[in-house]
């Protein structure tokens, strides 16, 4: 089961990382307004997700990959907390409303749990 969870996380991160380059405009909307380099941040996070996904594919890299994924996704919480802080029920996009911003936090907490589980269950990870 551990292998399936690790490979699924690798595929997920690789697909999302590639999406940073296919749909950069969308990902720039997720970067907090106070952060001055949205474009480079989107590209760097896309590369990081692809690299961590690659690490998770290698059986010997799964513990490190799981921890790296957890750290990367945790770093994204700043964006989601900022979105919650600016959320308003009259916003057009669901992700910009309070319910959408809370959902972003909950989903990302689940992703962090997934990554930590992969790290802890990998050989040498716990």
């Amino acid at each position: 089961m551990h292998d399936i969870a690790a490979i699924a996380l690798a595929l997920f991160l690789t697909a999302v990382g590639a999406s940073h380059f296919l749909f950069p405009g969308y990902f720039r909307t997720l970067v907090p307004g106070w952060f001055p380099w949205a474009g480079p941040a989107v590209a760097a996070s896309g590369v990081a997700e692809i690299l961590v996904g690659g690490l998770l594919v290698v059986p010997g890299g799964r513990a490190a990959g799981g921890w790296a994924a957890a750290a990367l996704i945790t770093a994204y919480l700043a964006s989601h907390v900022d979105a919650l802080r600016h959320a308003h029920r009259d916003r057009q996009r669901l992700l910009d409303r309070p319910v959408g911003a809370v959902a972003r936090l909950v989903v990302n907490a689940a992703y962090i749990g997934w990554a930590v589980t992969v790290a802890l269950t990998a050989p040498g990870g716990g």
Side-chain angles (χ1 to χ4, degrees):
M1 186 59 121
H2 168 269
D3 290 340
I4 294 170
I7 296 297
L9 182 58
L11 292 172
F12 171 73
L13 287 173
T14 302
V16 172
S19 295
H20 282 64
F21 298 99
L22 297 171
F23 311 104
Y26 168 73
F27 286 95
R28 281 190 206 107
T29 69
L30 301 178
V31 177
W34 50 262
F35 192 81
W37 305 291
V42 167
S45 60
V47 168
E49 289 173 351
I50 292 167
L51 290 174
V52 171
L55 191 58
L56 286 161
V57 171
V58 180
R62 291 193 178 144
W67 291 119
L72 188 61
I73 298 165
T74 298
Y76 298 155
L77 290 177
S79 169
H80 303 307
V81 169
D82 187 69
L84 181 58
R85 198 171 70 97
H86 291 99
H88 193 272
R89 62 187 168 113
D90 295 333
R91 297 283 169 94
Q92 184 176 358
R93 287 187 343 162
L94 178 63
L95 292 177
D96 296 331
R97 297 180 200 157
V99 67
V102 168
R104 287 169 59 175
L105 284 166
V106 170
V107 167
N108 274 268
Y111 292 155
I112 293 166
W114 181 11
V116 168
T117 299
V118 167
L120 290 174
T121 59

